[in-house]
Amino acid sequence: MDLALLWGAALPLAEPETPPKTEAGPSRGGDDLLVRLSRRDERAFAELIARHFDRVYRIAWRVLGGPADAEDVAQEAFLKAWSAPGQIRDGRAIGAWLARVATNLALDRLRRRRPESPPELPDLTDPHAAADRGVRRAALEAEVAKAMAALPDRQRAALVLVHFEGLGNLEAAEALGVSVEAVESLLARARRSLKQAFADRWRELVAEFSDL
Amino acid sequence: MNQSNKKALERLRQLYAAYGADPGHWPKHERWLYREDVPPELIEGESDARMVDRLLAVLPVPVAPAQNLRQLITRAAPSPRRDATVHAHHRSMPKLMQEWPAALALAASLAVGVWLGAAGVADDLLPSLLAGPVDIDTVALDPPDNLDFDSGGGT
């Protein structure tokens, strides 16, 4: 079938090289918050934490691969906002700035860590355990977590920012200090690696997902 | 297939590969490319993308510990109480008394300068005075501008 008919006439081909400035909507009152932060307003700091801590913590947790150091990294990101609010150029993009700082702090932390042994998976040889949906789900969760942990750090970070936290590709590119094309390359490679981690049981997984 | 369609098809393949099967995760300005009927050339890629999306959806959502807010404020913010004590003491002094030390120092400097000039001592001392360190006890000191009780406490 002719794709022109499928998509309708006059295809305005999207240009990935020129995406809009930001895909995240501006944070209402972000400029005001930044001004108040510059004046060392503690209530502004509390407001910043209330608005953004959960997301910053999730980013740290997922990039680090678990709770260890996640809280510390998240706190450090907010301490940077408090001690040097002048580094935040745009009050409407405080969230993106925090995401970038948390990502880089987490990546730095990973570089300093010693490699750890992979997490143990639950034993599924027991047929009764295999029949338990909850156990199978937990086992799959552990396998996916292990595959995520095995990804190169920047691939995992790209996946966390774009897939899990919904950052636009421009924001993610700024957070990682790369181009939009590089972000897409990181994402594609991450997904390919995840698929390969389950390559030997791909069909089995398709069936399993229909059952879970 | 014309060139435009080839480009659109290739871009769709890239979107599946990078962002997954859900157009909600695609760049907003490219979501128009999504179609319910996947082009035959992309069925396998779309299926793989959907499976990876499902795998990622299995992962739990990390929940931030609730007590961090107060801990972080305590760790990061300067203590307003200590500053308030210092500033309250400072502000309780009458304005004239606050300015006394500065006025006294200025008067002393003036007196010393006049004496040096009259005694002719300055003519010999001036080069060494200029070269030597400044005696801060003779420099008029204003109260620092950054001590502000009203805005530091977040009340």
Side-chain angles (χ1 to χ4, degrees):
Chain A
M1 177 182 287
D2 187 352
L3 283 169
L5 292 177
L6 194 64
W7 275 308
L11 296 169
L13 184 66
E15 294 293 338
E17 293 78 22
T18 56
K21 266 206 158 198
T22 175
E23 295 200 9
S27 164
R28 190 169 288 185
D31 284 329
D32 173 65
L33 187 62
L34 188 57
V35 167
R36 287 159 56 209
L37 270 178
S38 304
R39 294 177 185 155
R40 315 290 279 179
D41 184 341
E42 285 188 19
R43 280 191 299 184
F45 191 50
E47 202 177 311
L48 185 75
I49 294 167
R51 280 193 205 177
H52 299 288
F53 192 88
D54 284 359
R55 186 199 218 189
V56 171
Y57 179 82
R58 286 197 305 265
I59 290 172
W61 199 106
R62 284 175 165 146
V63 172
L64 289 165
D69 292 337
E71 188 175 340
D72 196 48
V73 162
Q75 288 184 354
E76 209 174 317
F78 283 89
L79 287 176
K80 283 184 183 288
W82 176 255
S83 62
Q87 290 185 10
I88 307 171
R89 288 170 299 174
D90 184 354
R92 295 164 295 172
I94 289 181
W97 185 89
L98 285 166
R100 177 164 58 91
V101 170
T103 301
N104 287 317
L105 285 171
L107 290 173
D108 283 343
R109 198 66 68 104
L110 285 170
R111 275 191 283 272
R112 292 200 299 264
R113 267 186 192 173
R114 283 184 296 179
E116 296 174 359
S117 54
E120 288 186 14
L121 300 177
D123 181 13
L124 291 180
T125 55
D126 181 355
H128 295 293
D132 183 345
R133 280 184 75 194
V135 171
R136 282 188 294 137
R137 171 108 187 172
L140 182 60
E141 185 182 306
E143 278 187 89
V144 177
K146 183 182 172 185
M148 279 284 286
L151 289 175
D153 295 341
R154 294 175 76 77
Q155 287 182 20
R156 184 170 61 256
L159 210 53
V160 168
L161 292 173
V162 176
H163 181 85
F164 288 107
E165 296 304 327
L167 263 72
N169 50 12
L170 249 190
E171 284 180 315
E174 284 175 5
L176 294 170
V178 297
S179 65
V180 169
E181 290 77 14
V183 167
E184 293 193 349
S185 174
L186 287 169
L187 290 170
R189 281 187 279 152
R191 287 176 158 270
R192 207 156 46 237
S193 297
L194 286 173
K195 186 199 167 187
Q196 283 195 338
F198 293 90
D200 55 346
R201 42 181 295 220
W202 198 244
R203 288 181 187 276
E204 183 188 325
L205 273 175
V206 172
E208 197 163 330
F209 269 120
S210 63
D211 196 29
L212 282 175
Chain B
M1 185 184 299
N2 62 33
Q3 201 60 25
S4 288
N5 287 342
K6 279 183 184 174
K7 283 187 177 177
L9 200 63
E10 174 57 22
R11 184 54 189 160
L12 191 55
R13 188 192 65 76
Q14 291 170 353
L15 290 171
Y16 284 137
Y19 300 103
D22 181 358
H25 283 132
W26 297 2
K28 284 182 188 168
H29 65 289
E30 296 187 283
R31 290 175 188 171
W32 66 272
L33 282 165
Y34 173 78
R35 287 296 182 272
E36 288 280 347
D37 295 333
V38 178
E41 302 91 325
L42 300 180
I43 285 177
E44 186 179 349
E46 190 271 351
S47 171
D48 286 348
R50 202 154 17 89
M51 270 303 299
V52 173
D53 288 344
R54 285 177 170 176
L55 286 174
L56 294 173
V58 162
L59 293 172
V61 178
V63 177
Q67 67 275 16
N68 282 319
L69 301 179
R70 180 53 55 197
Q71 178 187 354
L72 195 53
I73 288 174
T74 305
R75 179 179 165 186
S79 166
R81 189 168 292 280
R82 183 160 47 90
D83 291 345
T85 302
V86 169
H87 301 150
H89 172 72
H90 187 75
R91 286 295 185 97
S92 69
M93 294 168 62
K95 192 168 172 55
L96 191 60
M97 285 184 67
Q98 292 175 33
E99 293 169 357
W100 258 88
L104 206 58
L106 189 60
S109 300
L110 192 60
V112 167
V114 168
W115 177 80
L116 286 174
V121 176
D123 296 336
D124 297 325
L125 287 181
L126 204 57
S128 56
L129 277 176
L130 286 175
V134 174
D135 184 352
I136 61 171
D137 290 334
T138 63
V139 175
L141 290 174
D142 292 325
D145 290 331
N146 62 349
L147 293 181
D148 189 343
F149 174 72
D150 291 330
S151 68
T155 52

